[in-house]
Amino acid sequence: MSDGRALFPVARRSTWGHMVTMPNIFRRAPAVAVLRLSGMIAAGPRGMSDAALAPMIERAFRRGKPAAVALVVNSPGGSPVQSSLIAARIRRLADEKEVPVIAFVEDVAASGGYWLASAADEIIVDDSSIVGSIGVIYASFGVNRFLDRQGIERRIHTAGKSKSFMDPFSPEKPEDVARLKALQEPIHDSFIAQIKDRRGAKLPEGQDLFTGDVWVGRQAVEVGLADAIGHLVPVMKDRFGDKVRFIRYGQKRPLLQRLGASIVGDALDGLEERALWARFGL
């Protein structure tokens, strides 16, 4: 039919009291809600955050009764807190509404991007998708030698000995590095706990997958970080029929950002996001 509806048999009672089967043209084909999770994960206006994505995620699960929710993930990562919040929201709604969730990875689901994918019941990747990077990273610059060459003196006064922690204008201190690692470990532990909770039965014993390394396509399937190779439309048609409908949801950018009002902020955020993508050759 031209409106995308499918014919499903439905039982009706005849005037003689017998049950007969006749087509019901008003029953629509199964629907799959498609959530696009693309870009850097961050609380700022350019990134994916729980607050920004919440309305979209809530609509996807609550609008009607979708046969499934598909997460289209393409993210190099970002904030571990926002990754955790978004993934937790998806799981809460999936359990509440009893809707299966399938993640489809495009270019990359790394670090926080893989945290998002792990919220799904299944993870399906492309042959060339980059998956993993289960770790925590801190990156900065040290410009103290440049200041010395230019004859610039750095003056800093604090109340609280840790207020100048990892100051990029001062020489790196061993105690600061030790403190940084102590901060990173609990975050890494939370990430590992998330993956073990969601994928534990599928992970091979005796193999450390939490070193920050990445895997490509079938490698990710072999080590249990993904379930299969495939793409959104053919997989969903195979599961729910050729008449399956796709209801797509995407994050809306604020009006001022779309008009280019925040030029400096957008440029800095863009550089940070570009650096995240560049780590995976993208």
Side-chain angles (χ1 to χ4, degrees):
M1 297 182 66
S2 59
D3 64 354
R5 296 176 182 177
L7 297 178
F8 292 88
V10 62
R12 297 285 178 84
R13 187 174 299 277
S14 71
T15 55
W16 299 100
H18 301 294
M19 297 300 293
V20 297
T21 300
M22 58 188 298
N24 179 2
I25 64 172
F26 299 105
R27 184 177 297 181
R28 296 178 70 85
V32 172
V34 181
L35 285 168
R36 173 163 285 279
L37 305 177
S38 180
M40 179 176 66
I41 304 167
R46 282 183 58 91
M48 289 190 289
S49 68
D50 181 58
L53 295 178
M56 174 181 88
I57 297 172
E58 296 281 341
R59 282 197 304 272
F61 281 94
R62 299 187 187 279
R63 184 178 175 184
K65 176 67 174 178
V69 170
L71 310 177
V72 179
V73 182
N74 197 9
S75 173
S79 164
V81 173
Q82 295 303 319
S83 302
S84 177
L85 290 172
I86 296 166
R89 182 180 297 275
I90 291 170
R91 280 315 320 159
R92 174 176 58 80
L93 289 167
D95 294 339
E96 178 185 315
K97 297 297 182 180
E98 298 182 339
V99 174
V101 180
I102 303 98
F104 292 87
V105 178
E106 293 188 333
D107 297 283
V108 59
S111 196
Y114 186 70
W115 196 318
L116 298 186
S118 73
D121 300 297
E122 297 177 66
I123 300 175
I124 298 177
V125 299
D126 181 82
D127 270 316
S128 299
S129 296
I130 298 173
V131 173
S133 190
I134 303 168
V136 181
I137 186 172
Y138 168 88
S140 182
F141 295 95
V143 296
N144 55 294
R145 292 181 181 177
F146 172 79
L147 297 182
D148 290 341
R149 287 197 298 268
Q150 300 303 314
I152 300 173
E153 181 184 359
R154 170 70 165 164
R155 295 175 180 175
I156 184 168
H157 308 279
T158 69
K161 64 180 182 180
S162 296
K163 289 299 290 185
S164 62
F165 174 70
M166 297 301 290
D167 175 28
F169 298 100
S170 301
E172 189 174 68
K173 303 174 184 176
E175 58 268 28
D176 281 0
V177 175
R179 175 62 178 152
L180 177 63
K181 290 185 178 296
L183 293 173
Q184 289 177 320
E185 287 300 327
I187 301 173
H188 192 202
D189 290 342
S190 295
F191 197 170
I192 293 172
Q194 165 73 10
I195 304 309
K196 286 185 175 180
D197 178 62
R198 299 297 307 151
R199 309 274 316 165
K202 300 176 180 180
L203 302 178
E205 293 185 8
Q207 184 169 355
D208 187 359
L209 303 176
F210 310 120
T211 63
D213 204 352
V214 296
W215 290 262
V216 177
R218 296 186 187 278
Q219 295 175 344
V221 176
E222 291 170 1
V223 299
L225 294 179
D227 296 289
I229 303 294
H231 300 132
L232 173 66
V233 173
V235 169
M236 292 296 95
K237 283 188 174 183
D238 181 63
R239 297 191 183 189
F240 300 108
D242 289 338
K243 298 296 185 180
V244 63
R245 296 176 294 119
F246 296 97
I247 304 173
R248 299 180 183 272
Y249 299 86
Q251 184 178 3
K252 293 183 178 179
R253 296 171 62 197
L255 177 61
L256 290 178
Q257 190 182 50
R258 295 201 302 270
L259 295 175
S262 178
I263 297 175
V264 175
D266 282 357
L268 294 175
D269 288 344
L271 286 173
E272 183 179 359
E273 184 170 6
R274 184 66 255 166
L276 279 174
W277 286 108
R279 290 181 58 227
F280 306 101
L282 299 170

